[in-house]
Amino acid sequence: MEELEKSISFDGRDIRLKVGLLAPQANGSVLIQSGDTAVLVTATRAVGREGIDFLPLLVDYEERLYAAGRIPGGFLRREGRPPEKVTLTGRLIDRPLRPLFPHWLRDDIQIVATTLSLDEQVPPDVLAVTGASIAVCLAKIPFNGPMAAVRVGLVGDDFVINPTYKEVENGDLDLVVAGSPEGVVMVEAGANQLPERDIIEAIDFGYEAVRDLITAQQELLAALGIELVQATAPEVGSELENFIRSSSIDAVKDVLSHYEQDKETRDAALDEIKASVKTAIAEFPETDPIRVATEQNGKALDNIFKDVTKKLMRRQIIEEGIRVDGRKLDEVRPVSCRVGVLPRRVHGSGLFNRGQTQVLSACTLGTPGDAQALADDLHPDDSKRYLHHYNFPPYSVGEVKPMRAPGRREIGHGALAERALVPVLPAKENFPYVLRVVSEVLSSNGSTSMGSVCGSTLALMDAGVPITKPVSGAAMGLIKEGDEIRILTDIQGIEDFLGDMDFKVAGTDTGITALQMDMKINGLSMEVIAKAIQQAKPARLHILEKMLATIDKPRTELSPFAPRLMTIKIEPDLIGLVIGPGGKTIKGITEETGAKIDIEDDGTVTVSAIDSEKAKRALAIIQGMTRKLNEGDVYVGRVTRIIPIGAFVEVLPGKEGMIHISQLADYRVGKVEDEVAVGDEVIVKVRELDNKGRINLTRLGIHPDQAAAARAGANAG
C-alpha cells in the first residue's frame, strides 16, 4: 500500500493519520498521532472456525515503556502483567467497534493497538479507538463504519476536545464519545455531579468532532481507492426457518404474556418450547430438507428461536407498552436495602436488591500505606485511595463453571462504580483513610453494575465514611423497530440481551457522576440519548429515596475494628530521622507501640492502630523526635539510663539528652546514683545543643514558674 498522510485539527490540536508505513503484513494498519503520542493500530482477519456462533473479536491494547523513554524494572527488564487501565483501554476500543460488525460475521478478527510514543500530555486511548476503525476499513472487513471517538473535557465553562491529562484532572468532566455516521454508539463518562443538560450538551459537542473524524477517514479511504465492504448475510434454509417460527410463535407469545413469572420460570418455559421443536425436527425423515438443514447448521435452531423470542418481546413493548414482567416502560422494579448485614468486624456493609438483582457491598477502611500504587513506569506518581472491586460468581445466574481471576467485564464494572463514587468521597485532608469496597453480585437479572453503586453507597455510609452525597444508579434500555423507539427504565437481563442499548446512569440528587452507554445498533440520535438521560433521573431519585429510608446519612462512629488514624506534619528533611538507618528507627517505634506508620514525601505522617492509645504513643514519639528544642526550654523528663559521668533523660518521646554529673546539683555530687535513679521524673532545662546535635541538660538555674509550667504541660500531654 502506498504511503499516505492526512491531518485534522480541533481547536489547534492536530490528529495525524499515516498509512502504508508500518506493519505491512497486517490486513490493515495505521499510525495515529497527536502531539508526541503515537499509536499503531492493526487489524487482522482469519477464516472463521467451525461451530462458532458469535463474533470472535479480540482487542488487545499494549503499552511499551520505551514510549516514554523508560526501561522496565525487575529482573527481566521487560514489560510484565499489564495494569488495569490497559484492560480498560482494551474495553474502550472494543465497545464501539463490536456493534458495527455485521451480526452474522463469524471470522476471527484481532485488533492490536500499541502505544509507540507517549508525550504524557495526550491520552492515547481515544486515538486507539479511532485508529481501530481505520485499520478495520483498510483490512476490508465487513464493517458498518467508519467510527471515531473523542474525549470531551470541561475547562472552566468551556468544553474542550481531546483535553490533556492535566485539563481532565482539573476539570469536572471526563467524557468519551464514539460514533458512526448513523449516530452515537458509545458514551463513557465521569463527572462531578453535572446536571443532565450539561452532559447532553457535552455529548452533542463531542459527536460534532466525531463526525469530522469520520469524514477524514472517508476521504483517506477514497484517496486510497478503498470502498467499505458491503457483504450479505448467509441464508438459512427458508423451510427450516418457517417451520421453527410456525412451531414456536404461539407458545413463546404465551410465555411472554405471563408477567408474574420470574426469570428462572420464564427461561425454563422457553427452553422447553425450544426442546419440543428440536424433538419434532428429529422425527423427520433423514432426507427431509428441514432435518438436513438443522444437521448442517447446528446453531440454526438456537439462532432462529432467539430471533423469534426477540421479535415477540420487542413487539409487545412497541405495540402494547408492556414489558415481560408487566412493568410500564418507565417503571423501576421493587427496591429494598439493608445495612450492617455483616458483623461489625467488617467496617461497613450494604445489601441492595432491585427485582432479582442482589448485590452485597463491603467497605474496608485502610491506612495511607494501603493506597494502590499505579506505578507502571509511564505514570510513576499515580495512586488510588479509593478501590472498588466487583465480583460476578457463576451462582449469581444459576450456572456452574470454574472460578477465574477477574475478567475484562469484572474490571470494567468495578471501574464504573468507582468512577461514580469518587466525586462524593471526602477529601484526603479531612478523612485520610484509604477505602476499598468489594461488591459481590449474589443474584443477577440486569444492571448489577448500578446495583453495586447503590450497595456501595450504603456500605460507605454504614462504615461512617462522610461522603458528601449518596449516589444511586439505573440502567436504561432501548427498543428500536424502524422509526418506532421505546426507552426502558431499569432493564432486566432479557431486555439487555434482546434489546438495543445498555445505558447506565449514576449520580446524586444534584447531578450525574458517571455514564456508560453501549449500543447493539449502528448509532443513536442525540434526541434519543437526551431523552434516555432525562428519563433516568426520576428512576435514580426513586432508588435514592429507598436507600435513604434505610440509612439517611453516614454513621458518626467508625467500627471498633477500623484503624484509628492520627496525622501530623513534619519537616520533609526530618523524614530520614524518623525512618532511621535501614528503617531501624521506624521499625523500633512500630514494635514498641504496635502502631502502623506511613510517611509521605511532603512530611505527612499518619499513625494508625485499632487501639487509639497505641496510635497516640507512636505519634508522641515522632512528635518528640521531630520537635525542635531551644536552649533554655524546660521539660519534665524521665531518667532512662545512668553512666559514671551523668544521666540520660528522655525529655520528649524518642528524644534524649544528658545531664552531666556537674549539672545535677548546685553542690559537688560524688556519684550520679546519689541524686537520681532510672525511672525518676526530673525537671531539666536545655543547657546547650552542640554542633553534633547532642542535647546537654541541666537541673540548675530553673525558675519555679518554669518548673510549674513544665509540669502543667506534661500533665496536659
Side-chain angles (χ1 to χ4, degrees):
M1 181 183 295
E2 64 177 298
E3 287 190 33
L4 189 65
E5 293 189 28
K6 186 165 185 63
S7 176
I8 184 169
S9 179
F10 298 107
D11 300 328
R13 299 176 186 182
D14 291 339
I15 293 179
R16 302 181 298 283
L17 311 175
K18 185 179 293 186
V19 300
L21 174 64
L22 303 176
Q25 292 194 70
N27 298 148
S29 68
V30 61
L31 184 68
I32 181 167
Q33 295 178 250
S34 182
D36 285 336
T37 294
V39 184
L40 172 66
V41 190
T42 64
T44 311
R45 178 187 185 188
V47 177
R49 294 163 285 162
E50 286 292 330
I52 297 294
D53 66 339
F54 60 91
L55 173 63
L57 173 64
L58 181 61
V59 177
D60 291 306
Y61 173 71
E62 303 285 328
E63 283 188 342
R64 302 288 188 247
L65 295 188
Y66 60 70
R70 295 193 177 96
I71 295 175
F75 177 76
L76 296 177
R77 292 286 190 246
R78 68 176 300 158
E79 290 83 1
R81 181 179 178 181
E84 281 191 0
K85 68 182 185 60
V86 168
T87 300
L88 295 174
T89 302
R91 276 175 53 86
L92 194 72
I93 300 168
D94 182 296
R95 287 166 40 217
L97 201 62
R98 189 176 292 271
L100 298 180
F101 289 108
H103 68 88
W104 47 263
L105 189 62
R106 297 294 179 264
D107 289 351
D108 281 293
I109 299 171
Q110 184 174 25
I111 310 298
V112 180
T114 308
T115 298
L116 301 181
S117 177
L118 186 68
D119 67 5
E120 300 186 3
Q121 291 294 317
V122 181
D125 51 2
V126 291
L127 298 180
V129 177
T130 301
S133 169
I134 300 169
V136 168
C137 293
L138 294 174
K140 300 181 181 179
I141 300 171
F143 185 59
N144 298 314
M147 175 271 294
V150 297
R151 173 172 272 104
V152 179
L154 183 60
V155 178
D157 294 327
D158 299 321
F159 293 123
V160 177
I161 295 295
N162 289 350
T164 65
Y165 284 110
K166 183 170 286 189
E167 288 172 331
V168 170
E169 184 180 344
N170 295 335
D172 289 327
L173 178 67
D174 180 9
L175 168 72
V176 174
V177 181
S180 71
E182 294 190 30
V184 176
V185 293
M186 187 205 73
V187 173
E188 176 87 29
N192 189 14
Q193 302 184 68
L194 290 182
E196 279 75 6
R197 64 178 181 276
D198 290 351
I199 295 291
I200 294 167
E201 186 180 346
I203 296 173
D204 192 28
F205 182 80
Y207 185 60
E208 287 291 332
V210 165
R211 281 202 285 255
D212 291 341
L213 278 172
I214 290 172
T215 300
Q217 292 180 59
Q218 292 168 335
E219 292 172 352
L220 178 68
L221 295 172
L224 293 168
I226 295 175
E227 295 184 2
L228 290 177
V229 176
Q230 301 295 324
T232 55
E235 293 185 2
V236 177
S238 58
E239 290 184 63
L240 172 62
E241 184 171 352
N242 291 337
F243 176 78
I244 294 173
R245 291 185 184 281
S246 62
S247 302
S248 61
I249 281 180
D250 290 341
V252 171
K253 187 182 296 184
D254 181 63
V255 169
L256 296 180
S257 67
H258 284 76
Y259 308 131
E260 74 284 354
Q261 296 178 115
D262 60 19
K263 176 177 178 287
E264 290 79 11
T265 305
R266 182 174 58 248
D267 289 349
L270 292 173
D271 287 342
E272 188 176 333
I273 296 168
K274 184 167 64 174
S276 68
V277 175
K278 185 176 182 179
T279 300
I281 293 174
E283 294 175 353
F284 285 11
E286 292 183 2
T287 57
D288 188 280
I290 293 176
R291 181 169 175 178
V292 171
T294 304
E295 292 173 350
Q296 289 177 343
N297 184 352
K299 301 294 182 180
L301 173 59
D302 290 341
N303 292 337
I304 295 171
F305 187 81
K306 174 186 172 182
D307 189 61
V308 169
T309 307
K310 177 178 179 178
K311 287 183 177 178
L312 289 174
M313 185 209 78
R314 295 162 69 93
R315 184 187 303 168
Q316 182 174 289
I317 290 172
I318 292 288
E319 295 178 358
E320 302 175 32
I322 300 177
R323 299 154 73 171
V324 292
D325 58 358
R327 280 185 293 152
K328 298 176 183 177
L329 302 187
D330 61 352
E331 188 176 347
V332 178
R333 288 171 289 174
V335 173
S336 66
C337 309
R338 294 186 185 184
V339 294
V341 294
L342 299 178
R344 287 298 283 166
R345 186 169 288 276
V346 176
H347 301 161
S349 58
L351 183 66
F352 179 81
N353 294 272
R354 189 198 304 111
Q356 286 183 285
T357 292
Q358 183 183 67
V359 181
L360 174 65
S361 292
C363 176
T364 306
L365 306 182
T367 66
D370 294 321
Q372 182 180 9
L374 302 179
D376 59 48
D377 291 333
L378 291 177
H379 308 94
D381 298 326
D382 286 358
S383 63
K384 287 200 300 187
R385 60 181 286 259
Y386 178 62
L387 315 174
H388 195 123
H389 295 148
Y390 167 101
N391 295 318
F392 192 91
Y395 63 74
S396 66
V397 287
E399 293 181 354
V400 176
K401 64 180 182 180
M403 301 281 282
R404 307 293 188 197
R408 286 189 171 191
R409 181 178 182 275
E410 285 82 3
I411 292 172
H413 281 12
L416 176 62
E418 184 174 292
R419 177 174 255 186
L421 288 159
V422 163
V424 302
L425 296 178
K428 181 180 179 181
E429 295 74 24
N430 302 327
F431 196 77
Y433 287 94
V434 168
L435 306 168
R436 181 183 185 233
V437 175
V438 179
S439 292
E440 306 283 359
V441 177
L442 305 183
S443 178
S444 172
N445 187 15
S447 190
T448 54
S449 62
M450 293 297 94
S452 69
V453 169
C454 300
S456 299
T457 298
L458 296 171
L460 287 165
M461 291 199 291
D462 185 50
V465 178
I467 58 175
T468 57
K469 278 182 175 289
V471 180
S472 64
M476 312 300 292
L478 176 78
I479 302 296
K480 185 177 186 297
E481 293 287 344
D483 294 332
E484 295 289 334
I485 292 175
R486 302 290 185 271
I487 296 172
L488 311 179
T489 293
D490 178 29
I491 57 173
Q492 57 186 311
I494 191 172
E495 294 166 338
D496 182 6
F497 185 58
L498 301 179
D500 297 321
M501 177 180 76
D502 182 9
F503 195 173
K504 305 175 181 73
V505 185
T508 67
D509 59 0
T510 301
I512 290 172
T513 58
L515 288 178
Q516 188 179 93
M517 183 190 81
D518 294 308
M519 302 296 302
K520 296 178 184 175
I521 55 179
N522 294 341
L524 202 59
S525 70
M526 278 304 308
E527 180 183 359
V528 177
I529 290 173
K531 185 177 178 182
I533 292 175
Q534 296 289 5
Q535 188 170 316
K537 185 174 183 178
R540 289 193 296 104
L541 296 179
H542 169 75
I543 294 167
L544 192 60
E545 183 180 350
K546 298 290 185 180
M547 293 165 59
L548 293 177
T550 303
I551 180 169
D552 61 353
K553 60 185 177 181
R555 298 193 189 280
T556 56
E557 293 185 4
L558 303 181
S559 162
F561 297 100
R564 267 47 187 175
L565 302 189
M566 298 180 181
T567 303
I568 59 168
K569 196 79 172 280
I570 64 174
E571 293 295 328
D573 57 4
L574 295 176
I575 293 175
L577 173 67
V578 177
I579 295 175
K584 181 178 179 181
T585 305
I586 198 169
K587 287 178 184 175
I589 300 172
T590 299
E591 290 172 0
E592 178 186 339
T593 64
K596 182 180 177 183
I597 302 167
D598 296 298
I599 305 178
E600 299 179 34
D601 291 342
D602 66 352
T604 300
V605 180
T606 304
V607 178
S608 61
I610 300 298
D611 183 347
S612 61
E613 292 303 315
K614 293 180 179 179
K616 288 179 181 177
R617 171 61 182 159
L619 199 66
I621 293 173
I622 295 171
Q623 286 176 318
M625 292 173 60
T626 56
R627 180 172 172 180
K628 207 166 188 179
L629 299 181
N630 298 302
E631 292 183 7
D633 288 348
V634 176
Y635 296 94
V636 176
R638 192 170 299 279
V639 177
T640 58
R641 54 198 171 102
I642 291 173
I643 61 176
I645 63 169
F648 285 90
V649 177
E650 185 181 51
V651 291
L652 291 170
K655 185 166 286 191
E656 288 184 342
M658 191 186 84
I659 313 173
H660 190 269
I661 191 170
S662 63
Q663 300 296 314
L664 285 170
D666 55 3
Y667 48 82
R668 186 179 183 280
V669 176
K671 290 174 62 179
V672 176
E673 290 86 344
D674 293 339
E675 292 296 321
V676 294
V678 172
D680 283 355
E681 190 177 86
V682 293
I683 296 178
V684 294
K685 181 167 69 174
V686 178
R687 182 169 64 89
E688 179 187 29
L689 299 171
D690 67 18
N691 56 11
K692 293 184 178 180
R694 292 177 298 198
I695 305 167
N696 295 317
L697 305 172
T698 182
R699 296 176 72 188
L700 306 179
I702 300 174
H703 192 278
D705 290 346
Q706 289 179 304
R711 286 194 182 281
N715 292 333

